[in-house]
Amino acid sequence: MSSIASCGRFVWHELVTADVERAGAFYSELFNWSFERLNGGSSGLFRLNGSPVAGVADLGAIGSRPQWVAYVG
């Protein structure tokens, strides 16, 4: 029964955006997250108190529209 109770939890969030740097600055200020760029700047990672909380990716590299994507376990 415990495995059923843990189903459907959000396990990760990822932002797909046209401007990784601007999104990093905006959400860092909004949520008091730190932001680090990865992969030569085409993606990044948001952290809270040193722990990863969300990712960010350049939509040009993915071919999508700007959006938040939530991953459910």
Side-chain angles (χ1 to χ4, degrees):
M1 187 79 169
S2 64
S3 63
I4 293 173
S6 65
C7 290
R9 292 186 54 210
F10 290 101
V11 296
W12 188 249
H13 297 84
E14 184 124 28
L15 173 64
V16 180
T17 181
D19 192 336
V20 171
E21 186 66 32
R22 190 169 170 186
F26 175 78
Y27 287 104
S28 292
E29 185 174 335
L30 182 66
F31 294 124
N32 198 30
W33 291 344
S34 62
F35 175 69
E36 64 183 277
R37 295 189 73 130
L38 305 171
N39 300 325
S42 65
S43 63
L45 186 64
F46 291 109
R47 294 181 183 270
L48 179 62
N49 299 324
S51 297
V53 293
V56 60
D58 186 306
L59 69 86
I62 296 173
S64 181
R65 67 184 197 287
Q67 61 188 306
W68 274 100
V69 180
Y71 295 83
V72 180

